[in-house]
Structure formats: C-alpha cells, structure tokens
Amino acid sequence: MSDEPNEAREPRESHTSRIVRPADDWTGESDDGSRWKRLAQLAGGDRLGCTLEELLPGHDPLPYHYHTANEEAMYVLDGRGTLRTPAGEAEVRAGDYVSFPVGEDGAHTVENASQTPLRYLAVSTMIEPDVVVYPDEETLCVNVGAAPGRPRGEFTLRKSFSMRDGSDV
C-alpha cells in the first residue's frame, strides 16, 4: 500500500465513530497523577490524533522534543502553563492555540507553572514510523507501529539512541 498522502488506506482496526463524553474514563495516568484521555482513538480516529491532557501543578508531560514525521498542536482549555519553543519561553492560557511543525522549528515542551491543573488538547498527525528528537538529552527515539496519540503498547519497535555516539539509551 502506498504511503502517499492522497492514497486511501485501511484503518488500523475496525472502528465505528462515536462520541466521547466527559464522564468516559481517562485512558492513562502518570506516576505524578497527571492524566490523559486519547479522544481520537476512543472516537475511532485513525489519521488525526487528539488527546486531552491534564497536568498537575509543577509537572510537564514530556521533555523538550520535536518530531521528524508528525506535526502537533496544542489548544489550552483551562489553566496556565509555560511553553518552551526554539523562540524561548512564553505563558499559555485558556484559549491559546499553538502549532508545532515537523522538525527543529516545532520543538516544544509545556510545564504547568500554576497552582491549578492545566488542561489542553494535544492534536497530531498520525504518521509512522516517526523519529522523536530530544535535543536537551541528546537522544532520539525511533517509533514504529504506533503514531503519536496511540498507546505505547502498540509499538512494534521503540528504540532510543544517543546522538553523541549512537549507543542504546
């Protein structure tokens, strides 16, 4: 099957579109109590990911990173956070929308610097394989079998390497 953008392709699983309700269970929780709900997956989405993230005060979901295959965006629903991009740091708050293009220009992380939960929608294309680069840590991660927005258990390959010497991380 072709990977051309305009080519039709079969969805990963047979899904029926459905409405995801606020009362539906969260699909994951981190050790710090922050949690997420994979909205697009729950609704039967295949090519566009959307995750509701809720970060507790003082926490960030991922280290500073960028994708080589996937574009991402963030829409802040509630709370305030500190967004870091190649342009520097800026406050984000309810109603703000930020786009993170593919490549170094799209590098980002967000931290909840407030005393209340930060809730936002994380939207991404669902292209795989993808390489995620973590510039501060000088590592990269090759992800095959699951695009952003899919459960980690769906990866057929997830391997991290040092950008300094190529060793496994």
Side-chain angles (χ1 to χ4, degrees), residues 2 46 103 119 126 138:
S2 171
D46 186 51
R119 291 170 53 102
M126 299 287 284
E138 297 183 321

Side-chain angles (χ1 to χ4, degrees), residues 14-61:
S14 177
H15 286 293
T16 301
S17 295
R18 73 177 202 88
I19 297 171
V20 179
R21 304 282 182 193
D24 290 347
D25 289 339
W26 292 86
T27 53
E29 186 172 324
S30 61
D31 293 340
D32 66 22
S34 296
R35 56 191 182 167
W36 58 90
K37 189 182 297 190
R38 303 243 188 251
L39 300 174
Q41 181 184 14
L42 291 170
D46 186 51
R47 291 186 182 199
L48 184 63
C50 183
T51 301
L52 172 62
E53 301 264 357
E54 182 179 80
L55 296 182
L56 296 182
H59 295 281
D60 55 359

Side-chain angles (χ1 to χ4, degrees), residues 1-2 43-44 50 52 55 59 61 64-65 70 75-76 94 105-106 128 151 155-157 168:
M1 171 127 335
S2 171
C50 183
L52 172 62
L55 296 182
H59 295 281
Y64 187 67
H65 71 284
N70 286 285
Y75 181 76
V76 181
D105 289 345
E128 63 89 13
F155 288 116
T156 55
L157 172 69
D168 291 357

Side-chain angles (χ1 to χ4, degrees), residues 60-65 82-85 100 107-111:
D60 55 359
L62 288 172
Y64 187 67
H65 71 284
T82 302
L83 175 69
R84 177 181 165 208
T85 68
F100 309 113
H108 64 281
T109 190
V110 65
E111 178 181 0

Side-chain angles (χ1 to χ4, degrees), residues 66 68 128-134 137-146 152 154-163 166-169:
Y66 63 88
T68 62
E128 63 89 13
D130 190 16
V131 175
V132 183
V133 179
Y134 300 92
E137 298 171 359
E138 297 183 321
T139 61
L140 59 86
C141 184
V142 178
N143 297 316
V144 179
R152 292 180 184 248
E154 290 186 13
F155 288 116
T156 55
L157 172 69
R158 182 174 171 84
K159 191 79 169 159
S160 296
F161 301 92
S162 167
M163 292 173 12
S167 62
D168 291 357
V169 176

